[in-house]
Amino acid sequence: MQLTIDYIPEPTGRGGGEPFGPSWQGVTLPREILDRHGAKVLDPWAVGLDPGETRPDSTVYRADVLLVPGQVLRAREATDWIDAALYDVGLRLSRASIDRARDRELGAETVWMPAVLEIAPERRDVRADAWPALRALRRRLTEESGTDQAIRDGVAQISLDHLFVGSATSGIGSLSLGGEPATSGHAVTDEPGTATRPGYGRVPLTVVAGPPRRRTLEELGGPRITVVTLDTGVAAHPWFLPVTEPDAFLTVDPDGQQLIEDTHPAYEGRDIARLVGYEDLGHLPNPLIGTLNSHTGHGLMLAGLIAQIAPDARVLAYKVMHSDGVVPEEAVHAALDRMLALMDAGRNIDVLCCSFGGFAETGDAAMQALFDKVNQLRARGVIVVNAAGNYATSRPFYLAALSETAVPGPPVAPMLGVAAKNPDGTIAIFSNEHPAVRWRAPGAMVVSTFPPQFSGAQSALLATGERASLDCDAMGPFCGWSGTSFAAPIVAGVIAAELTRTIGQVGVDPVERARAVIDRMIEDKVARPEVVRI
C-alpha cells in the first residue's frame, strides 16, 4: 500500500459539536503525575473572577512557577514591582530564581525562564498558586498608569508554565477516550480477545526488513537535511549507529541538552521530576511492579519513522519529554533557544517535529510567547510540524492550533498541524480536528523502532519453560503504536525527503525553499514513497 498524506485546503467544520469539547478533555492527568511534576489543573469553575473578567479555560501548569522573561528577572526595579504586586496574594519571586537569571548570559532576544513563587515575608497560611499570582500582576497593570513602560511591557509577557503532553495513545477505552497519558503505563492493558479496547496501544512486532539504505555524504553531494525532534530522548537500537559516530543518522547535542537540564525551576530541596541527559531512561512509574511508563520509547519511534522515509537526512534529538509523556514549557523554550543559537552559528536545521501539545487557559494569547519563538525559527526557513492531539475534540490544541495563524512581516516557513489516519484512510477515532489542522497522515498502528532494552511487566499470559504466548509488555526492537505523535514525524520525514532533492541548489532563500517544498507536496498529492513491484 502506498503511503499517502492528505492536505485539506478548506476543512469543513462539524456542526452540532461543542467547539471546545467537554471541559475535562485534556486535563485528566492522574494525581500521581501531577504530583511528580509539581503541577495542578486550572478548574474554570473554581477560580475567582473580577468584574468583567472572562472565565478561563482548563489547562495544566506548574503550581508555583511563572514563566518570566529573563531580562525582567535581571532588572531589580522590575522584580521589586512584581514582588509588590504579588504581596497581595502573599507571594514573591524566589531569590534563587532571580539569582539564576542574573548569573546567566542573555542575548538580545527574549528568553523565558521559570521563576518559582515563595511565601512572602510575614505572610502565613498562603497557598502558592501561579494562576492567582498571574491575575494579581495583570490586575495591578490595569490599576496603575504611572508604571515605567519597560516594566509594563515585560510584566505583560509573564505567563503560566504550562505542561504539555505527548500525543501517543497508550490504550483507548470507551470511557477513557482522549485521556493521555494513560494511567497504567502498560503497552496493552487487556488480554488479547477482549473487546474493551480497539488496540491502539503499543504492541511488540517482529520486523524482518533492515533499515533503508543511506547514501554517503559523497553520494549525496551536500549537507544532510536536519530534522529536530523534541521528545523523550534517544536509546540504543540495532538500526542506528551510536550517537557519537560521525555522520550517524540519530544525533544529539550534549551542550544544548545541558541547557535544557539547567532550565529546571530553581526549587530548593523539592523532589520534582527533572529532565536529565539526552537518553530515554525509561523511568518506571512503580519499580515494584515494573510497568513501562506511557511514553517510554516515544522519541525512538519518531526517529525510526523518519529514517524509513528519509534515510539520507539526520535526526537531532532533544529530550524535553519525560517518559510519562509530560513536557514542561520551560524545556521547550530552552530547546528552541538552543536551535536559534545553532543556526546563528551556521548550523543548518530544516524541520522541527513536535509530537506533543496542550490546552491553554486563554486561547492563542496564552501561547503567544511560544509562538513568537517558533516563528523566529520559521523566519530562518525551518518548517514546523505539530501533532494535532489525541483527545477526539475540536478544542484548540497548541501548537497545532496556531499552524494557520498569519505572521506579520516578511514571509516565514510553513507550520503544519497533522491529524492521524487509519489504514483505510478514515480519520482515526482519537484524532483531534481543528481548522488549522490541514494535514492527515497514517497514525494508527504504525510500525517503527523501539528500545529493545525496555521491557514491561514481564508477565506473559501463558508460559511453560521456553514457550510463551505473546506478552504485550515484553517489548522487542520494534512495535506498532498509534497517535498523532506518529503522523507528525511521517509528514516531517516526507518533507525531509523532498528537501533532500534540493541539496544541490545554491543561492536559494531558505524560506522560499521551504514554502516551495510544501506547495509541491500539496500539488503532488504527497504520495511517498512510490511503490515498485518486485
Side-chain angles (χ1 to χ4, degrees):
M1 182 178 292
Q2 206 169 31
L3 184 158
T4 61
I5 299 173
D6 304 327
Y7 173 73
I8 303 89
E10 295 182 2
T12 56
R14 298 184 180 273
E18 179 67 30
F20 289 97
S23 60
W24 56 266
Q25 286 194 312
V27 292
T28 53
L29 297 182
R31 180 76 257 171
E32 60 268 24
I33 288 184
L34 294 174
D35 289 346
R36 188 183 304 156
H37 297 282
K40 69 179 301 181
V41 174
L42 179 63
D43 183 348
W45 302 103
V47 299
L49 293 175
D50 293 338
E53 186 178 4
T54 302
R55 190 175 299 279
D57 294 318
S58 54
T59 192
V60 183
Y61 63 101
R62 288 205 194 268
D64 55 354
V65 176
L66 291 172
L67 277 185
V68 183
Q71 290 82 350
V72 172
L73 290 174
R74 290 169 63 92
R76 189 172 303 277
E77 185 178 358
T79 56
D80 288 346
W81 188 97
I82 292 172
D83 284 345
L86 292 178
Y87 193 80
D88 292 342
V89 290
L91 299 172
R92 70 172 187 174
L93 299 175
S94 77
R95 304 303 95 176
S97 298
I98 294 174
D99 291 341
R100 285 178 63 179
R102 291 173 179 169
D103 291 341
R104 179 172 170 178
E105 292 291 333
L106 300 178
E109 299 291 347
T110 302
V111 174
W112 274 266
M113 302 182 66
V116 176
L117 300 170
E118 63 182 20
I119 310 303
E122 302 178 1
R123 300 302 297 266
R124 297 181 183 276
D125 197 26
V126 174
R127 180 175 59 186
D129 189 333
W131 175 246
L134 184 59
R135 290 182 64 239
L137 294 176
R138 291 172 176 172
R139 183 186 301 119
R140 185 162 182 180
L141 278 179
T142 61
E143 294 174 348
E144 291 190 3
S145 58
T147 305
D148 180 78
Q149 190 60 44
I151 294 178
R152 296 183 65 86
D153 292 343
V155 172
Q157 297 180 80
I158 297 174
S159 71
L160 296 178
D161 186 5
H162 301 90
L163 294 185
F164 302 115
V165 294
S167 294
T169 63
S170 297
I172 297 293
S174 59
L175 296 179
S176 62
L177 181 62
E180 283 296 328
T183 58
S184 69
H186 280 267
V188 172
T189 58
D190 291 323
E191 295 185 7
T194 60
T196 58
R197 297 175 185 270
Y200 283 116
R202 61 187 171 207
V203 176
L205 298 167
T206 299
V207 174
V208 296
R213 181 182 179 273
R214 190 173 193 237
R215 287 181 289 179
T216 65
L217 285 171
E218 290 74 16
E219 293 174 307
L220 200 58
R224 297 195 184 278
I225 298 300
T226 298
V227 181
V228 169
T229 59
L230 307 183
D231 218 88
T232 57
V234 302
H237 190 275
W239 266 22
F240 300 127
L241 294 169
V243 295
T244 54
E245 288 288 323
D247 198 35
F249 174 84
L250 183 55
T251 63
V252 294
D253 173 15
D255 291 338
Q257 196 66 54
Q258 186 64 51
L259 293 175
I260 295 171
E261 184 175 335
D262 292 343
T263 307
H264 183 79
Y267 288 114
E268 295 184 353
R270 287 191 56 187
D271 186 19
I272 302 296
R274 297 181 64 95
L275 291 164
V276 179
Y278 56 75
E279 294 180 306
D280 184 345
L281 302 175
H283 288 134
L284 303 179
N286 188 336
L288 299 181
I289 299 175
T291 52
L292 273 177
N293 232 330
S294 64
H295 284 62
T296 298
H298 193 263
L300 199 65
M301 282 283 295
L302 270 60
L305 289 169
I306 296 169
Q308 293 174 58
I309 302 169
D312 290 327
R314 71 174 185 133
V315 165
L316 173 57
Y318 287 103
K319 179 177 169 182
V320 301
M321 184 186 297
H322 295 266
S323 57
D324 59 14
V326 171
V327 181
E329 186 174 355
E330 79 271 356
V332 179
H333 272 288
L336 297 177
D337 286 335
R338 177 60 175 178
M339 292 173 61
L340 289 166
L342 290 180
M343 296 192 74
D344 289 344
R347 293 276 295 274
N348 70 296
I349 295 175
D350 306 282
V351 187
L352 170 62
C353 182
C354 299
S355 288
F356 59 85
F359 301 104
E361 73 283 2
T362 53
D364 295 359
M367 293 291 121
Q368 191 62 48
L370 199 56
F371 188 49
D372 289 344
K373 190 63 64 69
V374 167
N375 289 337
Q376 292 178 41
L377 289 169
R378 296 171 66 193
R380 292 162 168 81
V382 178
I383 301 171
V384 182
V385 184
N386 301 299
N390 299 344
Y391 295 92
T393 181
S394 60
R395 182 181 175 187
F397 185 79
Y398 297 95
L399 287 165
L402 292 169
S403 297
E404 294 291 318
T405 300
V407 179
V412 295
M415 185 159 86
L416 285 56
V418 185
K421 296 195 303 180
N422 291 313
D424 65 356
T426 58
I427 303 173
I429 191 67
F430 52 79
S431 187
N432 289 356
E433 293 189 40
H434 188 270
V437 176
R438 297 286 190 87
W439 298 79
R440 295 173 187 157
M445 290 310 295
V446 298
V447 178
S448 188
T449 49
F450 188 85
Q453 63 270 35
F454 293 145
S455 295
Q458 294 290 346
S459 54
L461 301 176
L462 177 64
T464 57
E466 295 181 354
R467 294 168 56 84
S469 64
L470 175 65
D471 176 11
C472 290
D473 282 326
M475 304 300 295
F478 305 93
C479 75
W481 207 347
S482 302
T484 58
S485 271
F486 311 119
I490 286 175
V491 172
V494 172
I495 293 171
E498 292 291 331
L499 286 171
T500 297
R501 299 165 63 180
T502 71
I503 284 177
Q505 299 176 4
V506 294
V508 179
D509 179 78
V511 172
E512 292 181 3
R513 182 185 69 160
R515 295 167 72 94
V517 163
I518 298 302
D519 288 343
R520 186 162 60 249
M521 287 173 59
I522 294 172
E523 294 170 0
D524 292 348
K525 307 301 181 185
V526 293
R528 295 288 186 274
E530 297 180 357
V531 173
V532 179
R533 295 180 178 179
I534 59 174

